[in-house]
Amino acid sequence: MWFMDRALAQRLERTEGALGASFTGVRHAAATAGATWRDFDGTYAIFEGADSPMTQTFGLGMFAPTTPESLATIEAFFTERGASALHEVCPLSGIETIGLLAARGYRPTELSTVLVQEIEEPEAGCELAAGSGLRVRLLEAGECERWIDTSVAGWSDDPAVAGFVRRLVSMAVANDAMLHFLVERDGAPIATASLGLHEGVALLAGASTVPDGRGLGAQALLLAARLVEARRRGCDLAMMVTAPGGTSQRNAERRGFRVAYTRTKWRLDRAERHCGAPHRGAAQPGASF
């Protein structure tokens, strides 16, 4: 039996941090020059462009105490690259971490719910196929553009984000640390999803279904296929990250996931760096810039 404790949270946070860091090594035309990451005593700081949602930290306060000095060092990593400092903070990092962020002038900008499920052995003879003409499979060589176009089409309800989504999924499909799945209906692609693996934990991400393919069970099929593949590759836990209380969270809970915790993303803009109350003996984060 496993429990929603700090040890579990460390596994989950390290998984998302490690997979996020893997994107900085993607050699793709859409990748940002200067993309990099660093490990600050267990906190993974990722830079993938000043305005990229992938630019942030994971694991702050989870593997080592957060101090004014350590936080200033991480802030410098972002500032010297022209980015705001952003931290995706697990509540198990402790009130001391959250209090320090507030005192330095950070503000909360986003919430995300982390869900987890133990991966059981698949039933014998389990196949990645379903009725209604649906079939799910791993992406094959030479199908990247087909997968990208299908993923983007799934976001066509919001044309404003189409360009951003295309860039993001183009990087995802070029990332060797991720596996990608495609659902076809009578041979036509209708849904996509991705799977990242790290030290026994599977991160399920990137689910997208084209408008006329919705309501047919494609996402349930993708979920089952990814869990089977993750178990086959030695994973014992699966995780997902959703908006709190939304449709994705409800769907995940219906399929056996449990809420582990809800994280808060904290942001410190460069213009706000001196707004927080100073800490006695703290290194001033803007002093060397």
Side-chain angles (χ1 to χ4, degrees), residues 66-287:
T66 306
T67 67
E69 291 79 10
S70 66
L71 194 52
T73 301
I74 298 172
E75 289 167 359
F77 169 85
F78 292 107
T79 303
E80 66 189 16
R81 291 169 174 81
S84 298
L86 294 108
H87 309 281
E88 194 97 42
V89 181
C90 170
L92 278 75
S93 66
I95 195 65
E96 297 82 6
T97 295
I98 296 171
L100 180 57
L101 292 170
R104 292 181 76 84
Y106 282 82
R107 56 188 176 87
T109 61
E110 185 180 314
L111 295 172
S112 60
T113 294
V114 178
L115 299 105
V116 65
Q117 177 182 154
E118 186 173 13
I119 305 177
E120 299 178 351
E121 289 284 357
E123 296 180 4
C126 177
E127 297 180 359
L128 305 186
S132 304
L134 298 185
R135 175 174 179 262
V136 61
R137 60 180 175 82
L138 279 164
L139 197 66
E140 298 176 358
E143 293 186 310
C144 290
E145 289 302 321
R146 189 174 189 234
W147 190 89
I148 292 169
D149 290 342
T150 305
S151 296
V152 174
W155 290 89
S156 61
D157 294 343
D158 189 354
V161 303
F164 160 74
V165 170
R166 179 169 291 276
R167 176 176 178 274
L168 187 62
V169 300
S170 295
M171 290 185 64
V173 80
N175 188 348
D176 293 337
M178 305 289 291
L179 300 172
H180 308 285
F181 294 76
L182 185 69
V183 173
E184 295 169 313
R185 184 186 188 194
D186 298 326
I190 65 167
T192 63
S194 298
L195 174 67
L197 310 173
H198 180 74
E199 296 183 354
V201 180
L203 174 64
L204 281 61
S208 172
T209 306
V210 302
D212 60 2
R214 294 170 186 167
L216 302 176
Q219 286 303 321
L221 190 56
L222 281 166
L223 175 61
R226 287 180 289 174
L227 292 178
V228 168
E229 186 66 19
R231 182 68 187 193
R232 189 179 74 82
R233 293 174 180 254
C235 292
D236 63 311
L237 288 177
M239 65 178 293
M240 296 176 65
V241 182
T242 72
T247 301
S248 294
Q249 179 180 322
R250 291 195 297 272
N251 289 340
E253 291 186 87
R254 289 190 187 102
R255 295 164 186 164
F257 280 82
R258 294 165 56 192
V259 173
Y261 48 82
T262 296
R263 299 183 305 204
T264 304
K265 182 176 287 188
W266 295 82
R267 179 186 182 104
L268 180 67
D269 291 317
R270 292 189 67 184
E272 298 170 340
R273 292 179 66 82
H274 298 289
C275 294
H279 291 262
R280 190 179 305 274
Q284 294 304 307

